[in-house]
Amino acid sequence: MNLEGRKIIVNKSSKELSEILKSPENYKDFMPDGLQKFETRDNGFKFGLQGMPEIALKIDEVNEQKAVLKSASSSLDFSLTATLNPVSENQTEVQMLFEGKFNPFIKMMVEKPLQNFINTLTDKIEAYK
């Protein structure tokens, strides 16, 4: 299952943005409003949203072209990637890409909430100061 967020322009350089995305505590600023729990870990974070199970993510790779988060749970196989494309010295085009391997039943249940989550992340990153 692949999902895409809309492409946005962030008023930060890709270097600046990649530095922000390296730090687990910064992801709290990008979470949806229904956030009920947020814990940072050495290489990632765990969060809980209203009406959804808690999700643990590890920061797998961050550079000036992309930030890759992967599931910290062995039972779920997915990744969330933010592509970072410099537009100018202090503007970067960002797009969220979700890639997951789910059975058809799970896919049917999670597809809409995941797309909403990606859309919210996109909006929060776009508004980030």
Side-chain angles (χ1 to χ4, degrees), residues 62-97:
V62 178
N63 57 46
E64 290 183 32
Q65 287 81 44
K66 65 182 173 183
V68 180
L69 304 176
K70 291 200 171 176
S71 170
S73 165
S74 57
S75 62
L76 293 173
D77 184 10
F78 70 85
S79 66
L80 183 61
T81 302
T83 61
L84 310 176
N85 297 313
V87 176
S88 67
E89 199 176 293
N90 31 352
Q91 283 193 319
T92 305
E93 181 188 76
V94 179
Q95 184 177 27
M96 302 299 296
L97 305 170

Side-chain angles (χ1 to χ4, degrees), residues 105-116:
F105 178 72
I106 299 289
K107 179 185 177 201
M108 186 177 71
M109 286 181 15
V110 301
E111 192 165 12
K112 190 172 193 290
L114 272 173
Q115 186 66 60
N116 290 340

